Amino acid sequence: MRIEAQQLARRFGAFVALDGVSLSVGEGELVALLGPSGSGKTTLLRLVAGLDFPDSGQILFDGADATAVPIQKRQVGFVFQNYALFRHMSVGQNVAFGLEVNRKKFQMTGRQIRERVSELLRLVQLPGFENRRPHQLSGGQRQRVALARALAIEPRILLLDEPFGALDAKVRKELRAWVRGLQQKLKITTIFVTHDQEEALELSDRVVVMNHARIEQIGTPAEVYDYPATPFVWEFLRGTTSRELAT
Amino acid sequence: MERIIPVSHPTIRDPWPIRAVLVGVAIAFSVLFLLVPLFAVFYEAFQKGVFAYLSAIQKPAAQSAIQLTLLVASIAVPANLIFGLAAAWAIAKFQFPGKSLLISLIDLPFAVSPVTSGLVFVLLFGARGWFGPLLSAWNIKIIFAVPGIVLATVFVTFPFVARELIPLLQSQGSDEEQAALSLGANGWSTFWRITVPKARWGILYGVILCNARAMGEFGAVSVVSGHIRGLTNTIPLHVEVLYNDYDYVGAFAVASLLTLLALVTLVIKGLLTWRMQERAF
């Protein structure tokens, strides 16, 4: 699905979180929202998800106005930063949740739901994990359960908030490549938020660099890296990367 | 074979006389103030044998006191459960004007003396109270009747569930609720499938404490009840009546019921605390 954001603005009291941001994401594209904390990237993601609503501006899904559509109706798969797994449910119940609460829409029997859950758990490489509890899983496993749960409702878009932020470096690298592979296999339009420039450059089709509630530059990883549009983009991509390489 | 090397902790080891005195004082204190009264209740209750105990409990006045207490608790506890859930949900999940005032108001019944709480209801609904003429015109009796006892109990036990749930819901955040919404759940099923189960041990804990207080409340209920035997006496009030009548076996037999309630409450409370710690991750 195509996503278009037009002149989105959002304030929280005196704090301007988004100041007239426009962005379009094409069918099947994987876009990274990159920026320091407070740059508005998570606010933009939450507006697209329907977890929050803009003060002004429009959001279009495939050309249709979705600005006022509540999150339940948007059919978006949202993976939270800390995964937000339902702690009182098993892994299987977590993944089945979206199908259970929408039984009318999905027209699935209990047996079909169980089959779909085990299929999804195989997809995220956690076969047979149905009866585990979230607190028995490692960080990487929890993240994949959260992904399976989000994919269960056959979302039209996938939104990931700092998906690898809470993982250690080694797991992060593995999971990154795996998520990229999965996204290409499913051909699902995906936006993810990150403050890690390496992650954004490596993973995405296009990078949206944000700062102070505005977009500084939109481009392919090569474009933003080789031809930074503003001093901020240069500093944010090169400055920290070179420091990281030096250590 | 590994040898176990003894490690000394000089900083946390006091000389034995000090330890002995401290432990001794603690034990003596709990025996004197907790165990002896507990023992005394049952000793006095069974002083004239099991038969006297059972017949004291089976007297009509005692039976009516037990029924009234159960009735009052069965109204006050669900009422405060619903209120507590609603208030905790509102306070933990939303920002609204007057929020801190609401939090302070919830604590009011803890801060006010129960006798004062009772008097407030007499002042409002009594024969010469603010709404007295109105109520007598409609022929509704609140003070010196069951409705007054229910009102006073609801007021006194108001904070238990809310107080327990507010910090719990606040610490759990609303990410799981948002996740449920994003998966297509509506507000109602998010509340029942996510929020309530997530907080279920805390809810039960609050209900248990609320129930113990609802059944055991004396001061506020005493003021509004009027002590009409067989009609407006709850268990605690009935104990006092029996005691003032020099019916010690009766008084302690009925009191033993409240003591048993307390013991059961303590056991359940302990189990719940243990469950909540185990479940937290």
Side-chain angles (χ1 to χ4, degrees):
Chain A
M1 190 176 67
R2 283 177 294 118
I3 306 164
E4 268 158 89
Q6 291 170 352
Q7 290 298 316
L8 291 179
R10 181 75 175 110
R11 286 166 167 276
F12 299 106
F15 177 74
V16 180
L18 278 181
D19 187 9
V21 165
S22 298
L23 169 71
S24 75
V25 180
E27 177 78 49
E29 209 179 7
L30 177 57
V31 167
L33 304 180
L34 174 66
S37 53
S39 59
K41 54 193 194 306
T42 296
T43 305
L44 180 54
L45 193 78
R46 291 173 65 87
L47 290 182
V48 173
L51 285 167
D52 193 10
F53 296 94
D55 299 327
S56 63
Q58 260 196 325
I59 297 165
L60 307 177
F61 284 179
D62 273 342
D65 188 3
T67 318
V69 177
I71 185 165
Q72 292 99 322
K73 302 261 165 67
R74 287 200 194 186
Q75 225 178 336
V76 296
F78 198 101
V79 175
F80 289 80
Q81 193 170 359
N82 54 8
Y83 320 130
L85 295 181
F86 306 135
R87 67 191 88 185
H88 59 284
M89 295 184 192
S90 68
V91 166
Q93 288 169 324
N94 264 278
V95 178
F97 185 85
L99 302 172
E100 296 273 2
V101 294
N102 294 308
R103 265 182 189 248
K104 274 200 195 117
K105 190 167 110 200
F106 287 104
Q107 298 281 335
M108 287 172 95
T109 62
R111 189 199 172 93
Q112 283 171 320
I113 289 178
R114 277 195 300 280
E115 279 168 10
R116 177 92 177 108
V117 167
S118 80
E119 187 185 310
L120 282 159
L121 286 176
R122 278 198 301 277
L123 180 73
V124 298
Q125 297 174 350
L126 293 170
F129 271 60
E130 278 91 341
N131 293 322
R132 303 279 187 98
R133 292 267 158 182
H135 64 94
Q136 298 170 318
L137 305 179
S138 71
Q141 289 172 330
R142 283 182 202 176
Q143 210 247 15
R144 283 181 280 153
V145 172
L147 204 57
R149 184 177 69 179
L151 290 173
I153 57 164
E154 290 161 25
R156 301 190 291 170
I157 49 174
L158 193 57
L159 305 172
L160 313 167
D161 187 7
E162 295 274 6
F164 313 106
L167 304 173
D168 60 61
K170 186 174 166 289
V171 179
R172 198 184 308 174
K173 284 223 158 176
E174 285 168 12
L175 214 54
R176 223 191 260 172
W178 177 80
V179 165
R180 178 60 169 155
L182 187 69
Q183 191 266 339
Q184 280 173 341
K185 191 164 105 188
L186 299 172
K187 296 187 181 62
I188 181 168
T189 309
T190 303
I191 304 178
F192 77 100
V193 158
T194 181
H195 60 265
D196 181 334
Q197 44 299 90
E198 193 191 318
E199 196 168 287
L201 296 173
E202 202 177 283
L203 204 57
S204 59
D205 296 318
R206 281 194 304 153
V207 181
V208 177
V209 186
M210 297 187 69
N211 187 34
H212 288 313
R214 288 176 170 277
I215 292 177
E216 296 271 335
Q217 188 177 5
I218 305 176
T220 63
E223 279 166 9
V224 293
Y225 193 79
D226 293 333
Y227 306 103
T230 65
F232 172 81
V233 176
W234 192 90
E235 169 65 25
F236 194 69
L237 289 180
R238 304 280 184 130
T240 349
T241 310
S242 54
R243 270 204 296 281
E244 261 180 17
L245 289 175
T247 50
Chain B
M1 279 277 275
E2 258 184 87
R3 262 202 311 164
I4 295 161
I5 302 158
V7 184
S8 66
H9 299 284
T11 49
I12 57 166
R13 191 160 285 188
D14 290 316
W16 73 265
I18 296 183
R19 266 188 291 155
V21 168
L22 286 175
V23 171
V25 167
I27 289 177
F29 198 85
S30 22
V31 167
L32 191 63
F33 285 95
L34 300 173
L35 271 181
V36 170
L38 193 64
F39 174 76
V41 168
F42 289 99
Y43 179 80
E44 292 289 336
F46 286 102
Q47 211 180 18
K48 290 182 182 160
V50 179
F51 183 75
Y53 176 82
L54 289 177
S55 78
I57 289 176
Q58 279 162 354
K59 277 181 185 156
Q63 284 293 310
S64 103
I66 293 168
Q67 278 165 15
L68 181 59
T69 294
L70 291 176
L71 174 73
V72 169
S74 70
I75 297 170
V77 174
N80 279 331
L81 171 63
I82 293 167
F83 162 77
L85 267 172
W89 168 267
I91 287 167
K93 309 285 176 187
F94 304 110
Q95 294 298 328
F96 54 90
K99 183 166 152 171
S100 51
L101 182 72
L102 180 61
I103 296 174
S104 316
L105 275 179
I106 289 171
D107 277 342
L108 189 69
F110 276 167
V112 172
S113 157
V115 176
T116 313
S117 315
L119 275 174
V120 166
F121 286 106
V122 174
L123 212 71
L124 285 176
F125 303 117
R128 269 178 271 168
W130 289 8
F131 301 108
L134 197 70
L135 288 169
S136 63
W138 286 81
N139 210 8
I140 300 170
K141 215 164 153 46
I142 290 181
I143 300 305
F144 305 145
V146 176
I149 297 173
V150 172
L151 276 177
T153 307
V154 168
F155 180 82
V156 171
T157 57
F158 200 63
F160 283 95
V161 177
R163 265 284 131 210
E164 183 57 38
L165 283 181
I166 291 166
L168 185 68
L169 291 187
Q170 274 173 338
S171 74
Q172 287 178 335
S174 54
D175 277 2
E176 288 174 58
E177 279 80 2
Q178 293 187 347
L181 294 175
S182 82
L183 292 167
N186 58 30
W188 183 251
S189 66
T190 301
F191 181 74
W192 287 110
R193 282 165 172 262
I194 307 298
T195 309
V196 169
K198 208 168 72 165
R200 63 192 185 281
W201 302 117
I203 293 171
L204 218 54
Y205 189 94
V207 164
I208 288 295
L209 292 183
C210 182
N211 183 58
R213 182 68 191 268
M215 290 189 169
E217 174 57 24
F218 180 82
V221 170
S222 173
V223 176
V224 296
S225 124
H227 305 268
I228 308 166
R229 276 186 214 198
L231 274 181
T232 63
N233 266 351
T234 59
I235 296 178
L237 301 182
H238 190 58
V239 170
E240 196 207 18
V241 167
L242 291 173
Y243 188 81
N244 288 343
D245 288 351
Y246 304 105
D247 181 359
Y248 294 131
V249 170
F252 281 103
V254 178
S256 76
L257 296 177
L258 284 177
T259 313
L260 281 175
L261 171 74
L263 292 175
V264 169
T265 303
L266 275 180
V267 170
I268 299 175
K269 183 170 166 273
L271 286 174
L272 287 176
T273 312
W274 175 68
R275 277 307 287 238
M276 283 198 282
Q277 278 163 354
E278 191 194 37
R279 288 282 153 187
F281 79 93

